Amino acid sequence: MGNFAGFGTATLGFLAELGDNNNRDWFQANKARYDTDVLEPALDFIVAVGDRLPTISRHLVAIPKRTGGSLMRVYRDTRFSKDKTPYKTNIGIQFRHEQAKDVHAPGLYFHLDNDECFLGVGMWHPERDALAAIRAAIMDNGASWKRVRDARPFRDVFELGGASLKRPPRGFPADHCYVDDLMRKDFIGTHRMAPGRAASPGLADEVFTLFAAGKGFMRFLCRALELPF
């Protein structure tokens, strides 16, 4: 793996062609292009961002591997989907907490396809016990939650989003000052970028700087789950 030089036109071009030819025969015939145009720059990006991660937290990991690492599989899980196309037409990269078991754990996320490019920080669809622990932490440490949620560096970069309940969760007061946050089913901040910016050789530096703005938010979630940060 060499120095990251950006996700150039060849990367987005391959993903676009894959969208038009999403079948095993085409992918196998073009697998060498996938390795050169998608896999290799993605692994270089993981290394470039990963070298800087300890300044956010030494418990976030970057694993530059084809499978089983920070790069999400190109193969779609079609078992429970009406869409049976076998391949993802995006690049998904997650820098997870070292104690993470899956994509629902605390982490930093990078997504790129021809239509959008965005970053995510936090937890997407946390499991029931983790969600309960975060809500309890907000109840018990409201001032700390407000401080990280409303911190200028975080709010200037990230927008809180994701799914929410329609009413307060059982056992939580409907009139609580943070009831909107207690109703969240995702605790994730997102930042959207133009896909064309991914071609820049400076993308890794830019993404890391943006990720760093979510440090306080990530720390709150990890402490709620009694994870080191």
Side-chain angles (χ1 to χ4, degrees), residues 17 30 32 40 47 109 116 121 126 173 186 190 207:
E17 288 185 53
N30 290 273
E40 290 178 9
V47 171
Y109 179 69
E116 61 179 351
V121 296
D186 297 312
T190 58
V207 166

Side-chain angles (χ1 to χ4, degrees), residues 20-124:
D20 293 333
N21 303 275
N22 202 327
N23 62 77
R24 290 177 176 82
D25 289 344
W26 187 90
F27 187 81
Q28 289 303 315
N30 290 273
K31 196 167 184 302
R33 287 180 60 205
Y34 169 78
D35 288 352
T36 300
D37 297 339
V38 178
L39 178 66
E40 290 178 9
L43 297 182
D44 289 343
F45 176 80
I46 292 167
V47 171
V49 175
D51 286 344
R52 300 160 172 78
L53 280 184
T55 62
I56 297 177
S57 171
R58 60 189 178 87
H59 300 286
L60 297 174
V61 295
I63 306 173
K65 294 170 56 178
R66 176 187 289 268
T67 59
S70 299
L71 178 64
M72 294 184 168
R73 286 165 45 90
V74 68
Y75 306 100
R76 295 183 62 251
D77 184 352
T78 61
R79 291 174 298 171
F80 308 109
S81 175
K82 292 180 180 180
D83 179 0
K84 297 302 181 182
T85 51
Y87 303 105
K88 299 173 185 174
T89 57
N90 70 278
I91 294 171
I93 293 170
Q94 189 181 35
F95 303 98
R96 301 177 189 168
H97 193 278
E98 63 188 0
Q99 295 188 23
K101 295 183 293 183
D102 54 34
V103 297
H104 306 291
L108 312 173
Y109 179 69
F110 173 83
H111 176 104
L112 174 66
D113 63 37
N114 273 275
D115 296 321
E116 61 179 351
C117 179
F118 67 86
L119 312 181
V121 296
M123 296 184 70
W124 178 72

Side-chain angles (χ1 to χ4, degrees), residues 165-211:
L165 298 170
K166 294 183 178 180
R167 55 182 58 87
R170 183 177 301 174
F172 292 87
D175 59 351
H176 194 277
C177 57
Y178 302 124
V179 66
D180 288 343
D181 294 317
L182 296 172
M183 290 165 59
R184 295 184 185 279
K185 295 194 290 184
D186 297 312
F187 282 86
I188 190 162
T190 58
H191 175 86
R192 299 194 176 279
M193 309 167 66
R197 287 168 67 184
S200 169
L203 178 70
D205 289 330
E206 181 179 3
V207 166
F208 170 76
T209 299
L210 294 168
F211 278 153

